[in-house]
Each structure stands twice: as C-alpha cells, then as structure tokens.
Amino acid sequence: DGGITQSPKYLFRKEGQNVTLSCEQNLNHDAMYWYRQDPGQGLRLIYYSQIVNDFQKGDIAEGYSVSREKKESFPLTVTSAQKNPTAFYLCAGQGAGGYTFGSGTRLTVV
Amino acid sequence: AQKVTQAQTEISVVEKEDVTLDCVYETRDTTYYLFWYKQPPSGELVFLIRRNSFDEQNEISGRYSWNFQKSTSSFNFTITASQVVDSAVYFCALSVGSGGGADGLTFGKGTHLIIQP
C-alpha cells in the first residue's frame, strides 16, 4: 500500500542529545513536510522540501535540521539546540490529490 | 501571511445531536485550498475534504456537510446525527497557490469534539 511511513512511533531522548526521526514515502510525491504538534495546538510547519536536494524553513525551524537526498526520504533531526523538543511530529507528502500524513512520532525528552 | 481560526476549543454534545464546527480563514491569495482533517486519539490525520477557492458549492458526504462562504471567509463543518465514533480533534487548514500549494498547510488550533452516549 502506498503511504507515508514514520518511525519509530515513540522515541525517548536524553536532554542534550540529537535524535533523528524517519519519514519514508512510496507515493512519488515531490513535496514533503514536517509538522510539530503540541497539546491544544494546531500543527506548525518545521521544514519542507519541494524537490530532492532542496528544502526551506517553515515557521519553527530553529533547533531542527533536515535532508532530502532521495525523493522517498525526508528525515528530521531534532538537535540539542531545540529547547522544548517534547512533542508529536507528523510528516506529510503532497501530490495531486492533496496531502497525505504519516502516523506520527511522539518524542519525549527525559 | 495566512491564518486559520477555529474559535471553538472544545464542543460536547449528546449522541444524535447535530453539531457545527466553525472555521474562519485569512489570506490575500485569490487561489487557495481549504481542508478539514480528523485526528482520533491514535494521532494520525484523516483527510475529510478539500475545497478550492473557486468552488463555493456546499458539499455533503453522508452525515458530513461543509459550508464554504467566501463573503465571510468561512468554511464550516457540520455533522448530522452525531455518533460516539465522531469524537476526535478536527482541524481546518489552508494552503495557497495553484496546484494545491506546495508551501504547506496552515492549520487552525483544532476543535476537540466529544460525543457523549
């Protein structure tokens, strides 16, 4: 089945460590996105990529980094510079039919 | 810049009641798309509808209906004869530009809908 696959579902990180969230797609979407969701908040855009080897900052890019070396993959690294990394992270792709979201990764800093 | 406002933080109704979730948007673009998503407790976002700015026809899908009014910049969502399974957080979202907007979605903060049996 085509879709957006995020792993892992739950992730725990010690303060001061970098961590990478995986996002893979087999929908042949050119555009991919990372969103962050905090309790009681909507989703906020972290980074997006419209084509391989290119990406742009979203509204809350500080403390995060991404890469887009392959069309299928758009990993997000949460760096130690991110002050409040505990959140729910959603990856999405965009095609002709609209946006498709992964099932999310819940990151907790311990 | 774009903005989406969902003024209702939480709504609680008894099963079988009708309920309307409000969505007001702001954009200077003339071409844009509006979306509704459902987020159950498991967390994934379930796509419900996409509407482009040139199509103001209301839409009905089973118990769900949507009312798009450009004059008031609103895209409201009504559930008729609500059921417990409708309990979730519902997000309204906006993208601008033709082709669905490759710059991403702007989301409202969501409305938590609770359907009591």
Side-chain angles (χ1 to χ4, degrees), chain A residues 23-96:
Chain A
C23 178
E24 303 284 328
Q25 59 113 349
N26 59 5
L27 298 169
N28 202 35
H29 287 170
D30 287 316
M32 296 186 74
Y33 309 83
W34 273 106
Y35 290 90
R36 169 182 171 137
Q37 184 180 15
D38 295 285
Q41 300 293 315
L43 282 71
R44 292 180 291 169
L45 183 63
I46 305 172
Y47 267 99
Y48 64 103
S49 167
Q50 296 179 348
I51 197 168
V52 174
N53 292 323
D54 187 43
F55 47 82
Q56 285 79 42
K57 293 182 179 180
D59 300 320
I60 55 166
E62 186 175 347
Y64 299 97
S65 66
V66 293
S67 63
R68 188 83 186 280
E69 297 175 2
K70 300 186 302 181
K71 191 174 187 178
E72 299 79 18
S73 179
F74 190 42
L76 173 74
T77 297
V78 184
T79 74
S80 56
Q82 170 50 234
K83 298 306 177 189
N84 295 293
T86 294
F88 186 56
Y89 292 87
L90 280 159
C91 178
Q94 191 231 2

Side-chain angles (χ1 to χ4, degrees), chain B residues 4-9 22-24 36 90-92 108-111:
Chain B
V4 175
T5 302
Q6 294 180 255
Q8 303 149 312
T9 304
D22 297 333
C23 174
V24 174
W36 276 95
Y90 290 85
F91 290 101
C92 181
K109 292 190 175 182
T111 296

Side-chain angles (χ1 to χ4, degrees), chain B residues 10-36:
Chain B
E10 183 174 289
I11 299 174
S12 181
V13 300
V14 177
E15 201 173 18
K16 295 190 175 64
E17 287 185 11
D18 298 347
V19 58
T20 295
L21 282 60
D22 297 333
C23 174
V24 174
Y25 63 93
E26 295 176 30
T27 179
R28 292 186 176 184
D29 286 72
T30 56
T31 301
Y32 53 88
Y33 290 79
L34 294 162
F35 302 76
W36 276 95

Side-chain angles (χ1 to χ4, degrees), chain A residues 9 31 33 35 37 40-43 45 48 50 88 90 94-103 106, chain B residues 35 37 39 41-45 47 50 89 91 95 99-110:
Chain A
K9 192 172 179 65
Y33 309 83
Y35 290 90
Q37 184 180 15
Q41 300 293 315
L43 282 71
L45 183 63
Y48 64 103
Q50 296 179 348
F88 186 56
L90 280 159
Q94 191 231 2
Y99 293 81
T100 303
F101 284 83
S103 56
R106 197 166 297 277
Chain B
F35 302 76
Y37 287 90
Q39 187 178 46
S42 55
E44 78 273 19
L45 283 182
F47 169 80
R50 178 178 73 167
V89 179
F91 290 101
S95 69
D103 292 347
L105 290 163
T106 299
F107 283 86
K109 292 190 175 182

